[in-house]
Amino acid sequence: VTLWLKYAQMEMKNKFVNHARNVWDRAVTLLPRIDQLWYKYTYFEEMLEQYNTARKVFERWMQWEPDEAAWTAYLKFEERRGDVSKMRQVLERMIACHPTPHAYTKYAKWEEKKRGAPVQARAIYERAIAELGDWEMAPAERAKLYINFAAFEARQKEFDRVRAIYEFGTSVLPLIVTDDLDEDGKAIAELHEAAASFEKQHGQVDAIEKLIIERRREVYTNRLKEAPNDYDTWFDLIRLEEEALNLQTKFIADREKEQDH
């Protein structure tokens, strides 16, 4: 790779443009999986203002289904050209090549922040939830998708939508109760914390806390069915029931105060 780079740079330094182009072309033909060569080749053509040629090189590159970074480079090239329809085409092809929550989120954020198009951004998030199956998303990826979608709706001041997303997300990704959380468990915990934080800011604190308690109770109960002599879980369940009782007491006290007023 280094030899090809030095060869092309030598031709460019001596202003042998066609020779340099031939070197880049031979390099990517022989080493199509080396992204660095493609980056250099497309940059070379763009600097020469050969935009159609640069686009053809990008198209050849994309046929090899490179990673998201390569698609992002293509997107930025089209952004510099200012053609919105071509930008969307690149993003659509990117999520077809890489059907991941990260790719869909990148597309949605582009619609929201680059184009100022929240309706289109919402549609991309909705497509991600509808089009990506469980087998294509690890629990951590799903949790992050719900968090990003909810954060988007919060920026639009669509708080009912935010609540609906969190309710759906926390229902399909129940809280994992353990002292040793893996990546999935930590992401799910972050989702539940984000839901609780939202409710503390926008109402229904008791409702979300009650929901969390119910899910933790289910986890402990299922664990005890498998291991009835697990005393640590019994103690966790007792502490949980104490929390539930305190929450119920607080709820009754708040209701009485409202009635007095």
Side-chain angles (χ1 to χ4, degrees), residues 5-220:
L5 293 173
K6 289 183 177 180
Y7 188 4
Q9 287 166 0
M10 179 196 71
E11 298 289 14
M12 292 164 60
K13 185 177 180 180
N14 290 288
K15 299 183 180 179
F16 296 142
V17 173
N18 287 332
H19 289 183
R21 180 176 288 119
N22 289 335
V23 172
W24 289 125
D25 193 81
R26 288 162 59 194
V28 298
T29 300
L30 292 170
L31 299 168
R33 294 295 184 183
I34 305 300
D35 288 343
Q36 184 182 13
L37 296 173
W38 290 105
Y39 282 119
K40 294 285 188 180
Y41 191 3
T42 56
Y43 179 75
F44 165 78
E45 295 293 359
E46 187 174 5
M47 289 303 98
L48 292 173
E49 299 184 355
Q50 298 297 312
Y51 303 126
N52 288 334
T53 304
R55 185 175 289 113
K56 289 177 182 178
V57 175
F58 270 115
E59 285 297 324
R60 286 174 59 190
W61 187 8
M62 296 307 111
Q63 289 177 5
W64 290 95
E65 299 186 349
D67 61 18
E68 280 186 36
W71 289 94
T72 300
Y74 193 2
L75 173 65
K76 288 181 178 178
F77 166 78
E78 293 296 2
E79 284 180 341
R80 291 190 290 272
R81 305 281 62 75
D83 190 328
V84 176
S85 64
K86 282 188 169 60
M87 297 177 215
R88 284 204 176 96
Q89 288 173 15
V90 171
L91 286 162
E92 285 288 343
R93 291 166 62 193
M94 180 185 73
I95 62 174
C97 181
H98 297 285
T100 65
H102 184 268
Y104 276 84
T105 299
K106 180 181 289 188
Y107 188 177
K109 286 184 176 180
W110 178 84
E111 289 285 10
E112 178 195 3
K113 297 180 178 180
K114 293 280 188 177
R115 304 305 310 160
V119 174
Q120 287 88 338
R122 179 178 295 118
I124 299 302
Y125 280 117
E126 291 172 346
R127 281 177 58 189
I129 293 173
E131 294 174 5
L132 296 177
D134 293 347
W135 64 92
E136 293 173 302
M137 289 191 286
E141 291 180 310
R142 294 174 69 192
K144 290 174 184 176
L145 176 61
Y146 297 136
I147 289 171
N148 285 323
F149 192 4
F152 159 76
E153 293 294 4
R155 289 191 293 273
Q156 311 311 312
K157 310 298 182 185
E158 294 284 355
F159 299 123
D160 288 342
R161 290 178 181 271
V162 177
R163 182 170 289 114
I165 292 165
Y166 279 135
E167 287 178 354
F168 177 76
T170 54
S171 66
V172 297
L173 293 172
L175 194 64
I176 300 172
V177 182
T178 179
D179 295 330
D180 187 21
L181 291 174
D182 58 11
E183 182 181 357
D184 288 337
K186 290 177 182 177
I188 291 170
E190 184 182 352
L191 172 64
H192 283 259
E193 288 169 7
S197 176
F198 169 78
E199 291 299 349
K200 287 177 182 178
Q201 292 179 345
H202 300 280
Q204 302 188 13
V205 179
D206 294 336
I208 196 69
E209 289 182 350
K210 184 179 179 182
L211 181 62
I212 292 172
I213 286 173
E214 288 175 353
R215 288 180 181 155
R216 289 172 61 193
R217 182 186 289 123
E218 182 180 356
V219 171
Y220 291 143

